[in-house]
Amino acid sequence: MSKKPSPEDEAVPSISRMLHRAVQTAADLHAGIAGPGALTPRQHAILEAVAAEDGATQSQLVAVTGVDRSTLAELVARLADRGLLERSRSTTDARAKQVRLTEAGRERLEATRPAAAEVDQALLGRLPEDKRARFLKDLGRLIAATPVAPAADPAGKTGGKTKKKSKKSKKSGA
């Protein structure tokens, strides 16, 4: 019977695959600890981000959480449908949507924080104690070195074309 090769057995391990597996491991731990019907790690991350910056736009939440724009919009809509978040038009830009925690969202977030902390501890517990601080520091470096895609406008739309001034308007200063 042959043993399944592990990423450590490869001459040059695929970092992307290892990170993906680490995320899967974290999600599995989260599901086991938090239990059925609990918030997912992404949902929890969104609630935490909104709690930290009440009234943040969805574009700001994309930058903070790393969740892609379309997934974040869908998750925010679902959390709003469940009464945990509320969305409203920005007071400074009618194209942008601001997100706020509802009272039910605040209560749910408080209730899920212990399980999230337990998952973090369970993950770190898999590493030797003297390597944990360095691991966290290095993960932080990877994240900090990742460029955040700039939002084209406060509403978070990208790919739009900007109008170029015509030769006539350049001459007239318009």
Side-chain angles (χ1 to χ4, degrees):
M1 190 164 174
S2 67
K3 178 182 144 195
K4 259 185 158 176
S6 72
E8 295 82 14
D9 293 337
E10 296 178 18
V12 179
S14 167
I15 295 169
S16 294
R17 190 170 71 238
M18 291 174 71
L19 287 171
H20 179 74
R21 288 289 296 136
V23 169
Q24 287 178 316
T25 299
D28 291 347
L29 271 171
H30 179 88
I33 290 171
L39 295 174
T40 66
R42 281 186 176 176
Q43 290 170 334
H44 182 83
I46 291 168
L47 291 183
E48 285 286 7
V50 174
E53 186 62 42
D54 199 46
T57 65
Q58 289 187 188
S59 292
Q60 290 168 324
L61 294 174
V62 165
V64 170
T65 63
V67 176
D68 69 86
R69 190 171 307 287
S70 60
T71 302
L72 184 119
E74 183 180 322
L75 287 169
V76 166
R78 282 190 207 162
L79 291 167
D81 289 346
R82 291 170 58 186
L84 304 177
L85 293 176
E86 58 185 24
R87 295 173 291 177
S88 61
R89 293 281 175 206
S90 168
T91 55
T92 58
D93 185 342
R95 298 170 295 170
K97 288 185 181 176
Q98 292 179 301
V99 183
R100 290 187 168 74
L101 278 175
T102 62
E103 189 56 39
R106 207 171 304 289
E107 290 170 6
R108 185 71 184 266
L109 179 59
E110 285 299 319
T112 62
R113 282 181 171 152
E118 188 177 338
V119 170
D120 288 348
Q121 290 307 308
L123 286 168
L124 283 176
R126 294 175 175 205
L127 298 173
E129 194 169 343
D130 64 332
K131 305 284 185 195
R132 294 173 191 172
R134 177 62 188 251
F135 173 75
L136 292 172
K137 186 176 181 178
D138 289 344
L139 275 180
R141 282 184 178 153
L142 279 175
I143 293 164
T146 304
V148 176
D153 63 51
K157 295 178 177 35
T158 58
K161 294 182 180 179
T162 48
K163 290 184 178 180
K164 292 183 180 180
K165 288 186 178 181
S166 67
K167 288 182 183 179
K168 184 178 178 181
S169 66
K170 283 182 187 175
K171 286 180 184 175
S172 67

